[in-house]
Structure formats: C-alpha cells, structure tokens
Amino acid sequence: MLYRLRDAGFQAFLVGGAVRDLLLGLHPKDFDIATNAHPDEVKGLFRNCRLIGRRFHLAHVRFGYEIIEVATFRAAHTPIDEDNSVDEGGHRVLDERGRILRDNLYGTIEEDVWRRDFTANALYYNIEDFSVWDYVGGVEDARQRILRMIGDPETRYREDPVRMLRAVRFAAKLDFTIHADTAAPIPKLAWMLDGVPPARLFDEVNKVFLAGSAYAAFELLERLQLLEHLFPDLSSALEDVPPGGSARELVRLGLQGTDERVRAEKSVTPTFLFAVLMWPAIQRAYAKHAPAADGDPQQLLAACDLVTARQQARVAIPKRFTLPLRELIGLQPRFERREGRRALRLLNHPRFRAAYDFLLLRAAAGEADAELAQWWTDIQAASADERVERVESLGPGPRTAAAGAAEGPRRRRRRRRRRPPAAS
Ligand code: ATP
Ligand code: MG
C-alpha cells in the first residue's frame, strides 16, 4: 500500500493512531495513511478504492476485511479572518463560531501536521528509512503519557467540538494525562457539543465507551462537564446520588463489566451499554410518573420511551439498538413474578439473556433483590421437571388465579397481535 504510492512517485506515511500505538507497544486498531497524492490519484492507483466524506474528502482502500484510510495532506492552519471565513480557493469553510465546515485545501506534510489534534497523533512513519517524523514533540509526550493539543486548545475545540470527546477517549484508552492547558477550556466549551449532529455524537460516544476504558472515560466526562451535554438526563439523575449510591453503582459496574468484556475480546453491544447509561433516568421518570404503579411494565415502558426520545435529541441511537433496549427494560418487572408456569416462559424469551444480565447488574448495584437474581440463576441450571416444581411450589401464579384466569385469554390475544413478525 505504502510502497505502491511511493513507487508511483508520491510521499506516503503511516500516521495517526497506528504510529502512536506501535510506539506505545500496543496493537494498532486500524491504519491511516497520509500522502501527497490527491484522492483521485489514490483512486487511480487502487482498484478497491472508494472516495468518501463531504466535510473531509478521504479515500478508503479495502484489503479483505481491513479498510485503510488514505488522507491527502491538508494545508496549514488558515488564519480565521474576522469577516471572511472562506479562504481564497474556497476550500476551507468555517462557521461564525470558528467551526470547520469543510477542509479540502491540500498541502505538504509540514502543513498537514498542524491540523492534527494531539501531538501523539501527529507522528509520521516514513517507510523509506523507517524513521518517525515528529514536528510537535509527540514522541516525548507519548513517552510521558501526556495528551497535548497542537496549537491553541480553545481555537481547536471551536473548530471541531468533537475534539473534546477525542481528548477524553484517548486519555482514558491510553491512560494518558490530559495536559492542564489542553483540559482547561473544555468545561467552558462543553456546550458546543449541543451543535454537533446527533449521528456523529453516536459514533463518537460508541468509540468512547467501547474502547475498553468506559469507566475511566465516564469519570472524565463527568469531571470535564461534558456528560451533561451528552446524557443530560443521566447527569441530572446522578446529581444527588452520593458515591456508592445504587444508581452510580449500576453505572460503574455496568461500564466496568463492559470494559472486562472488551478486554477479553468478547462481543459488546451498544444496546446493553445504552441501557446502563439510560437506566437511572428511566427509573427516575418511572418513579415520578407512576409512583403508585409499582412493577407495572406499561408504565416502565412509557418511562423508557420518554427517556429514549429525549436522549435521541443528543445522541442518535439507531432503532436496531433502541428496540432491543426497550425489550430488555420491559422484561425487568417480569422477573418479580416467579409463580406459575408463565414465569418459565420468560426463559425462552429472545431477550432473556440480556435482560437477566441486566437484572444481575441491578442486584450487584444493590437496587434489585439479590435473592431474586439468585433464583433466576438457579432456575436456569435446573432440569425441566425441577423448574416446573419450583414455580408451582411458589403458588398458582396470576394466570390460573381467579382474577388472572378471567383476564388471561384476552391478554394473550392482544399480545399475540402486537408481536411483530419474526421478532428476534
Ligand atoms: P484510533 O486508534 O481510535 O483509530 P486514531 O488516532 O487513529 O485513533 P482516527 O479517528 O482514526 O484516530 O484519526 C486518525 C488521525 O487523524 C488522528 O490520529 C489525528 O491525527 C487525525 N484526526 C482525526 N480526527 C481529527 C479531528 N477531529 N481533528 C483533528 N485531527 C483529527
Ligand atoms: Mg485510526
């Protein structure tokens, strides 16, 4: 890849996270390449190449499952004119708050380095002689585990507020300290996240929380006052919760559990992650709107819908995650009802496993009954006969009780009609 660009007469460097990770002795997650070839020239060299991005033109070159991102050197930091935010060629466009809308003025490597975010992310590895080109002291910062913004931090956050989240992500993931000057403007500029498209925030939030250091990232987000702009309802639900309070414990244990899974290379899904991050707010909404409806699944689902809708305004969580999330939440009250064979049907629910994991989490946080969680653990290990024995020993259950029997068939029909086809 690098060689083909070079043989065609272009400069080509490995850049960004891969160089940084190799320097730190970590496995790079992906490879980014910087070159002086223009995107259409890159396309001319590689058949399996797609040009992407409007705000920022890039070439994606596919090698099997790997996608290598090839970016053309960008020109030096264009001074932001007070009255004229469009540069000569019209390539770099900023809005009235200094935010970059488009950045496609090509330049040289000496210019490219200044538009990168952190010093440790601005190292260029040259395949010609295996040297690292470091214009900004990135090698030394990486060695000292310091995350330092290139240029004036406030200006750089105004250009692209997502850099505040990137600071949190890299500090948490790499166990770096954010340099004091780099951290200082963040609380003051955190509000600028409100102007970032919710779909981009979803991508970034996912990266922040699924990089193996979710809990460290969460603490940083809270400390830098970013959390209230990403998860306003979570932030206010946790406001009066003391350290060790069950809502905080649930978030802590949930995120630490996610981190363990990521580190063990097990699968993690945004569904469970967002259930953890939304549960304290769902519980609060539930308690507020249905103080008397203890254990009423419909009221809990209404609270879930309310919190989800509000959350979508900040972080656009796709339906393929919010729908299973809703099911996972809706099953929680059903764990309370252990009597009768109806309880056993829960074991076959397609969302049982995730809902049960969430019950365990609630129990570990001290919010759900530990004995209840244990009962559901035990019943899974029991044989079919034992299972029936156990639920029947607890009583007849609502279905066969007088009132339940009268209601049973009607409820059943209604549920069947509502069930979407091929739900899984
Ligand atoms: P990861 O290990 O998560 O891939 P990365 O450092 O490679 O981390 P990418 O998002 O892949 O991060 O971006 C590649 C490089 O592009 C970064 O290292 C950085 O130099 C530059 N970059 C990416 N996004 C921005 C941004 N919003 N502002 C400035 N520079 C950026
Ligand atoms: Mg990368």
PDB file of all heavy atoms in Angstrom, residues 18 34 68 74 80 85 181 220 231 266 275 286 312 317 348 365 418:
ATOM      1  N   ALA A  18      -1.979   4.502  14.552  1.00  0.00           N
ATOM      2  CA  ALA A  18      -1.145   3.320  14.373  1.00  0.00           C
ATOM      3  C   ALA A  18       0.301   3.588  14.808  1.00  0.00           C
ATOM      4  O   ALA A  18       0.913   2.761  15.495  1.00  0.00           O
ATOM      5  CB  ALA A  18      -1.181   2.858  12.913  1.00  0.00           C
ATOM      6  N   ALA A  34      -1.134   8.967   5.272  1.00  0.00           N
ATOM      7  CA  ALA A  34      -1.149  10.338   4.780  1.00  0.00           C
ATOM      8  C   ALA A  34      -0.230  10.398   3.569  1.00  0.00           C
ATOM      9  O   ALA A  34       0.844   9.797   3.557  1.00  0.00           O
ATOM     10  CB  ALA A  34      -0.663  11.299   5.859  1.00  0.00           C
ATOM     11  N   ILE A  68      -8.255   0.696   4.848  1.00  0.00           N
ATOM     12  CA  ILE A  68      -7.199   1.635   5.159  1.00  0.00           C
ATOM     13  C   ILE A  68      -7.619   3.011   4.684  1.00  0.00           C
ATOM     14  O   ILE A  68      -8.083   3.168   3.552  1.00  0.00           O
ATOM     15  CB  ILE A  68      -5.873   1.177   4.517  1.00  0.00           C
ATOM     16  CG1 ILE A  68      -5.532  -0.197   5.114  1.00  0.00           C
ATOM     17  CG2 ILE A  68      -4.770   2.199   4.752  1.00  0.00           C
ATOM     18  CD1 ILE A  68      -4.155  -0.688   4.843  1.00  0.00           C
ATOM     19  N   ARG A  74      -3.287  18.052   4.300  1.00  0.00           N
ATOM     20  CA  ARG A  74      -4.091  19.272   4.281  1.00  0.00           C
ATOM     21  C   ARG A  74      -3.193  20.478   4.491  1.00  0.00           C
ATOM     22  O   ARG A  74      -2.148  20.376   5.144  1.00  0.00           O
ATOM     23  CB  ARG A  74      -5.157  19.254   5.383  1.00  0.00           C
ATOM     24  CG  ARG A  74      -6.234  18.202   5.195  1.00  0.00           C
ATOM     25  CD  ARG A  74      -6.868  18.340   3.842  1.00  0.00           C
ATOM     26  NE  ARG A  74      -8.125  17.616   3.682  1.00  0.00           N
ATOM     27  CZ  ARG A  74      -8.237  16.345   3.332  1.00  0.00           C
ATOM     28  NH1 ARG A  74      -7.169  15.614   3.147  1.00  0.00           N
ATOM     29  NH2 ARG A  74      -9.416  15.795   3.162  1.00  0.00           N
ATOM     30  N   ILE A  80      -8.080  32.447  10.688  1.00  0.00           N
ATOM     31  CA  ILE A  80      -9.511  32.682  10.602  1.00  0.00           C
ATOM     32  C   ILE A  80      -9.750  34.191  10.550  1.00  0.00           C
ATOM     33  O   ILE A  80      -9.556  34.899  11.516  1.00  0.00           O
ATOM     34  CB  ILE A  80     -10.234  32.063  11.807  1.00  0.00           C
ATOM     35  CG1 ILE A  80      -9.966  30.558  11.849  1.00  0.00           C
ATOM     36  CG2 ILE A  80     -11.719  32.356  11.755  1.00  0.00           C
ATOM     37  CD1 ILE A  80     -10.273  29.926  13.178  1.00  0.00           C
ATOM     38  N   SER A  85     -14.726  34.033   6.360  1.00  0.00           N
ATOM     39  CA  SER A  85     -14.362  32.701   6.830  1.00  0.00           C
ATOM     40  C   SER A  85     -14.077  31.746   5.681  1.00  0.00           C
ATOM     41  O   SER A  85     -13.748  30.599   5.892  1.00  0.00           O
ATOM     42  CB  SER A  85     -15.478  32.142   7.704  1.00  0.00           C
ATOM     43  OG  SER A  85     -16.669  32.093   6.966  1.00  0.00           O
ATOM     44  N   ASP A 181      -3.252  22.670  30.090  1.00  0.00           N
ATOM     45  CA  ASP A 181      -3.702  23.684  29.114  1.00  0.00           C
ATOM     46  C   ASP A 181      -4.714  23.107  28.124  1.00  0.00           C
ATOM     47  O   ASP A 181      -5.554  23.826  27.594  1.00  0.00           O
ATOM     48  CB  ASP A 181      -2.506  24.230  28.314  1.00  0.00           C
ATOM     49  CG  ASP A 181      -1.533  24.964  29.211  1.00  0.00           C
ATOM     50  OD1 ASP A 181      -1.935  25.349  30.335  1.00  0.00           O
ATOM     51  OD2 ASP A 181      -0.360  25.138  28.793  1.00  0.00           O
ATOM     52  N   LEU A 220     -14.067  10.976  33.505  1.00  0.00           N
ATOM     53  CA  LEU A 220     -13.522  12.176  32.861  1.00  0.00           C
ATOM     54  C   LEU A 220     -14.623  13.049  32.272  1.00  0.00           C
ATOM     55  O   LEU A 220     -14.593  14.274  32.391  1.00  0.00           O
ATOM     56  CB  LEU A 220     -12.557  11.774  31.739  1.00  0.00           C
ATOM     57  CG  LEU A 220     -11.073  11.711  32.057  1.00  0.00           C
ATOM     58  CD1 LEU A 220     -10.317  11.228  30.827  1.00  0.00           C
ATOM     59  CD2 LEU A 220     -10.547  13.079  32.503  1.00  0.00           C
ATOM     60  N   PHE A 231     -25.502  13.222  27.911  1.00  0.00           N
ATOM     61  CA  PHE A 231     -26.556  12.475  28.588  1.00  0.00           C
ATOM     62  C   PHE A 231     -27.147  13.365  29.678  1.00  0.00           C
ATOM     63  O   PHE A 231     -26.937  13.118  30.868  1.00  0.00           O
ATOM     64  CB  PHE A 231     -25.987  11.191  29.209  1.00  0.00           C
ATOM     65  CG  PHE A 231     -25.489  10.198  28.213  1.00  0.00           C
ATOM     66  CD1 PHE A 231     -24.160  10.199  27.797  1.00  0.00           C
ATOM     67  CD2 PHE A 231     -26.351   9.261  27.659  1.00  0.00           C
ATOM     68  CE1 PHE A 231     -23.707   9.284  26.858  1.00  0.00           C
ATOM     69  CE2 PHE A 231     -25.907   8.343  26.717  1.00  0.00           C
ATOM     70  CZ  PHE A 231     -24.578   8.356  26.323  1.00  0.00           C
ATOM     71  N   LYS A 266     -14.594 -10.212  24.051  1.00  0.00           N
ATOM     72  CA  LYS A 266     -15.956 -10.727  23.889  1.00  0.00           C
ATOM     73  C   LYS A 266     -16.776  -9.645  23.195  1.00  0.00           C
ATOM     74  O   LYS A 266     -16.398  -8.482  23.182  1.00  0.00           O
ATOM     75  CB  LYS A 266     -16.565 -11.020  25.264  1.00  0.00           C
ATOM     76  CG  LYS A 266     -15.926 -12.189  25.977  1.00  0.00           C
ATOM     77  CD  LYS A 266     -16.760 -12.540  27.198  1.00  0.00           C
ATOM     78  CE  LYS A 266     -16.021 -13.414  28.175  1.00  0.00           C
ATOM     79  NZ  LYS A 266     -16.641 -13.432  29.492  1.00  0.00           N
ATOM     80  N   ALA A 275     -28.501   0.869  27.741  1.00  0.00           N
ATOM     81  CA  ALA A 275     -29.431   0.527  28.824  1.00  0.00           C
ATOM     82  C   ALA A 275     -28.831   0.966  30.157  1.00  0.00           C
ATOM     83  O   ALA A 275     -29.519   1.551  31.002  1.00  0.00           O
ATOM     84  CB  ALA A 275     -29.712  -0.978  28.820  1.00  0.00           C
ATOM     85  N   TYR A 286     -39.872   6.960  35.845  1.00  0.00           N
ATOM     86  CA  TYR A 286     -40.861   5.965  36.271  1.00  0.00           C
ATOM     87  C   TYR A 286     -41.394   6.317  37.651  1.00  0.00           C
ATOM     88  O   TYR A 286     -42.598   6.321  37.901  1.00  0.00           O
ATOM     89  CB  TYR A 286     -40.167   4.604  36.273  1.00  0.00           C
ATOM     90  CG  TYR A 286     -41.004   3.430  36.698  1.00  0.00           C
ATOM     91  CD1 TYR A 286     -42.248   3.195  36.130  1.00  0.00           C
ATOM     92  CD2 TYR A 286     -40.515   2.526  37.639  1.00  0.00           C
ATOM     93  CE1 TYR A 286     -42.998   2.090  36.502  1.00  0.00           C
ATOM     94  CE2 TYR A 286     -41.254   1.422  38.017  1.00  0.00           C
ATOM     95  CZ  TYR A 286     -42.502   1.206  37.450  1.00  0.00           C
ATOM     96  OH  TYR A 286     -43.221   0.116  37.819  1.00  0.00           O
ATOM     97  N   GLN A 312     -32.383  10.835  22.230  1.00  0.00           N
ATOM     98  CA  GLN A 312     -32.155  10.891  20.777  1.00  0.00           C
ATOM     99  C   GLN A 312     -31.835  12.297  20.291  1.00  0.00           C
ATOM    100  O   GLN A 312     -31.205  12.472  19.253  1.00  0.00           O
ATOM    101  CB  GLN A 312     -33.379  10.390  20.001  1.00  0.00           C
ATOM    102  CG  GLN A 312     -33.771   8.954  20.272  1.00  0.00           C
ATOM    103  CD  GLN A 312     -32.835   7.959  19.646  1.00  0.00           C
ATOM    104  OE1 GLN A 312     -31.673   8.262  19.394  1.00  0.00           O
ATOM    105  NE2 GLN A 312     -33.324   6.751  19.405  1.00  0.00           N
ATOM    106  N   ILE A 317     -29.297   7.271  18.706  1.00  0.00           N
ATOM    107  CA  ILE A 317     -29.096   5.828  18.847  1.00  0.00           C
ATOM    108  C   ILE A 317     -29.995   5.149  17.824  1.00  0.00           C
ATOM    109  O   ILE A 317     -31.202   5.338  17.845  1.00  0.00           O
ATOM    110  CB  ILE A 317     -29.487   5.357  20.267  1.00  0.00           C
ATOM    111  CG1 ILE A 317     -28.869   6.271  21.325  1.00  0.00           C
ATOM    112  CG2 ILE A 317     -29.071   3.909  20.475  1.00  0.00           C
ATOM    113  CD1 ILE A 317     -29.539   6.135  22.681  1.00  0.00           C
ATOM    114  N   ASN A 348     -37.513 -18.493  27.726  1.00  0.00           N
ATOM    115  CA  ASN A 348     -37.409 -18.686  26.273  1.00  0.00           C
ATOM    116  C   ASN A 348     -37.519 -17.394  25.497  1.00  0.00           C
ATOM    117  O   ASN A 348     -37.507 -17.404  24.264  1.00  0.00           O
ATOM    118  CB  ASN A 348     -38.517 -19.638  25.801  1.00  0.00           C
ATOM    119  CG  ASN A 348     -38.360 -21.002  26.444  1.00  0.00           C
ATOM    120  OD1 ASN A 348     -37.242 -21.478  26.624  1.00  0.00           O
ATOM    121  ND2 ASN A 348     -39.472 -21.605  26.818  1.00  0.00           N
ATOM    122  N   ALA A 365     -25.651  -3.836  42.060  1.00  0.00           N
ATOM    123  CA  ALA A 365     -25.648  -2.419  42.444  1.00  0.00           C
ATOM    124  C   ALA A 365     -26.480  -2.177  43.701  1.00  0.00           C
ATOM    125  O   ALA A 365     -26.507  -1.067  44.223  1.00  0.00           O
ATOM    126  CB  ALA A 365     -26.169  -1.564  41.294  1.00  0.00           C
ATOM    127  N   ARG A 418     -49.861  -7.981  18.849  1.00  0.00           N
ATOM    128  CA  ARG A 418     -48.876  -6.915  18.874  1.00  0.00           C
ATOM    129  C   ARG A 418     -47.478  -7.358  18.493  1.00  0.00           C
ATOM    130  O   ARG A 418     -46.654  -6.578  18.081  1.00  0.00           O
ATOM    131  CB  ARG A 418     -48.777  -6.349  20.296  1.00  0.00           C
ATOM    132  CG  ARG A 418     -49.663  -5.152  20.455  1.00  0.00           C
ATOM    133  CD  ARG A 418     -49.177  -4.426  21.650  1.00  0.00           C
ATOM    134  NE  ARG A 418     -50.298  -3.772  22.294  1.00  0.00           N
ATOM    135  CZ  ARG A 418     -50.345  -3.532  23.573  1.00  0.00           C
ATOM    136  NH1 ARG A 418     -49.352  -3.904  24.343  1.00  0.00           N
ATOM    137  NH2 ARG A 418     -51.355  -2.921  24.094  1.00  0.00           N
TER     138      ARG A 418
END
